[in-house]
Amino acid sequence: MTLIDHINLPRHIFSNLSRNVQKSRIVILILCFAIIASLIALLRDIQSSSHGSDTWQSKIISLNPLFGGPDAHIPESSKQYIGKVSILYGDKKPAYERALKTHEEHNRIHNYRMHLLRHGILDGYWTKPAYILSLLLLELGKEKDDRLSWLFWVDADTVVLNHNIPIEIFMPPPEHNDIHLLVTDDWNGLNNGVFLVRVDPWAVELFTSITSFRDFQPNTTLTFQDQSAMEILLKQPKYAKHTVRVPQRWFNAYKDEKDKELRPDQVRGGDLLVHLAGINPREQLLNEWCDRYEKDPEKWEIKLQNTTYPAETAKFWRDLEMKDV
């Protein structure tokens, strides 16, 4: 006697149940295949590049609600690909702390992890490359899925003016995966007050070379310390071919001058930040720029799609690709 017979239930019930379960499995499999196919199509669509508005930058804008796209929720635990890095130590300076607050808000909106060193490691400005090197090694020691992809260095004398701008808009598109460093120049040459570096072994070699430069080339004049060492090294083919100099105003804009026409390197409404490099009184200027933002945020806080960034960055990378052909 079977269990079914024992509890006196009709066999056709179990026969129908079995058929229904089988049908459900088939339906679930079909749905899974449909979802996978849709995801593949979406990824291909995002990765494809064209010369119209269908660029990878426009995909960022259209898919991310922070840029005015669909009203979708981005979880707080979403993967962090970019980490910001800076140094601020010594006697407490309220103006620098105030400027740092502008970065904290930017980090919160875009889910960027902030690495801030509060004490010196080496003399002069040499703590900077040493700290970056330590973070690169720390990240590369993690599993690939857990590590950051890029580090965004910002000097402490920078003020974020437009929190709508994501750092991702400046990054090279997927077809330029051989680019490991984005820097800007000013009238003195390289200015390494703000730059983007990919987290990989190439960057470890570069920042190891910068940190140890004065020990192996003690007779070389380094007017701007680590910045000069970095500029010399970036001229070597090993580093030059993986480095791109982008327009300074993208993420390293300088302050404007009263009653004078704006130069290409000077900040304007909608730009990410202003960098008060090499000018004094520095603390007074930091406070002035924080005040300028707070008194008229509408001038600076412009949605990404309404700034010049999407068109500028798309054209820049497209032109660079044409030069490489």
Side-chain angles (χ1 to χ4, degrees):
M1 181 180 294
T2 66
L3 178 61
I4 294 175
D5 290 332
H6 179 71
I7 59 176
N8 296 319
L9 289 175
R11 291 178 180 270
H12 70 83
I13 292 178
F14 293 93
S15 178
N16 291 339
L17 180 61
S18 177
R19 282 196 297 271
N20 290 335
V21 169
Q22 189 67 22
K23 288 179 181 178
S24 298
R25 288 176 178 171
I26 293 171
V27 171
I28 291 170
L29 284 172
I30 292 172
L31 287 173
C32 287
F33 280 123
I35 291 169
I36 292 169
S38 298
L39 288 173
I40 292 172
L42 178 61
L43 287 172
R44 284 177 178 169
D45 186 41
I46 291 174
Q47 290 175 351
S48 64
S49 61
S50 62
H51 293 255
S53 61
D54 192 25
T55 61
W56 68 281
Q57 288 97 338
S58 68
K59 292 295 182 183
I60 292 176
I61 294 171
S62 66
L63 293 176
N64 195 325
L66 292 173
F67 314 148
D71 186 18
H73 173 67
I74 298 179
E76 288 290 331
S77 59
S78 61
K79 185 180 183 328
Q80 294 174 311
Y81 290 98
I82 298 175
K84 273 195 197 173
V85 188
S86 193
I87 295 174
L88 183 60
Y89 60 88
D91 295 336
K92 195 171 182 66
K93 298 176 180 179
Y96 282 89
E97 297 292 343
R98 188 180 178 190
L100 180 62
K101 290 289 185 184
T102 67
H103 285 279
E104 290 177 356
E105 177 65 10
H106 188 240
N107 297 340
R108 184 192 65 77
I109 291 172
H110 298 284
N111 198 29
Y112 299 144
R113 190 188 311 167
M114 187 72 189
H115 296 276
L116 180 67
L117 184 66
R118 287 284 189 173
H119 61 272
I121 300 174
L122 301 176
D123 60 297
Y125 296 111
W126 296 96
T127 288
K128 176 176 175 176
Y131 184 45
I132 293 171
L133 175 60
S134 71
L135 291 174
L136 288 167
L137 292 170
L138 178 66
E139 291 300 317
L140 288 170
K142 300 176 182 178
E143 294 295 327
K144 189 172 182 179
D145 290 341
D146 297 330
R147 71 178 67 143
L148 295 170
S149 299
W150 291 82
L151 296 180
F152 186 59
W153 171 270
V154 287
D155 278 358
D157 55 357
T158 56
V159 177
V160 175
L161 299 172
N162 190 354
H163 298 82
N164 296 305
I165 306 302
I167 299 168
E168 288 87 340
I169 194 67
F170 308 117
M171 290 165 55
E175 57 267 28
H176 288 291
N177 59 9
D178 61 331
I179 294 172
H180 303 287
L181 179 67
L182 303 183
V183 295
T184 63
D185 287 343
D186 63 14
W187 52 82
N188 284 315
L190 174 72
N191 180 276
N192 71 348
V194 187
F195 60 85
L196 259 168
V197 62
R198 195 187 295 267
V199 176
D200 60 15
W202 180 93
V204 171
E205 292 183 25
L206 173 62
F207 282 91
T208 298
S209 298
I210 295 171
T211 305
S212 61
F213 189 96
R214 56 183 176 164
D215 296 316
F216 290 97
Q217 298 192 43
N219 297 322
T220 301
T221 299
L222 300 174
T223 305
F224 300 108
Q225 300 192 44
D226 68 295
Q227 179 173 282
S228 296
M230 186 174 184
E231 183 168 28
I232 293 170
L233 288 165
L234 291 181
K235 293 176 181 177
Q236 298 180 5
K238 174 182 180 180
Y239 298 118
K241 65 181 181 180
H242 298 294
T243 301
V244 171
R245 283 170 165 79
V246 301
Q248 184 181 348
R249 213 198 82 248
W250 278 12
F251 52 68
N252 194 16
Y254 288 174
K255 79 176 192 70
D256 55 11
E257 297 175 47
K258 190 175 181 181
D259 300 325
K260 290 187 178 181
E261 186 177 350
L262 288 173
R263 299 194 311 265
D265 64 330
Q266 290 179 321
V267 71
R268 60 210 66 196
D271 286 356
L272 171 63
L273 58 76
V274 61
H275 181 200
L276 303 170
I279 52 176
N280 287 305
R282 195 78 53 88
E283 290 183 68
Q284 178 182 323
L285 288 166
L286 283 170
N287 278 321
E288 285 180 6
W289 275 92
C290 288
D291 288 342
R292 284 181 66 172
Y293 168 79
E294 292 171 5
K295 288 177 181 176
D296 190 13
E298 289 79 13
K299 175 181 178 179
W300 306 102
E301 294 281 7
I302 300 174
K303 287 187 176 181
L304 175 63
Q305 68 268 31
N306 296 328
T307 69
T308 60
Y309 282 135
E312 283 184 31
T313 54
K315 183 179 185 304
F316 178 87
W317 294 115
R318 189 165 62 243
D319 290 350
L320 184 68
E321 188 173 355
M322 292 174 67
K323 289 179 183 177
D324 294 340
V325 174

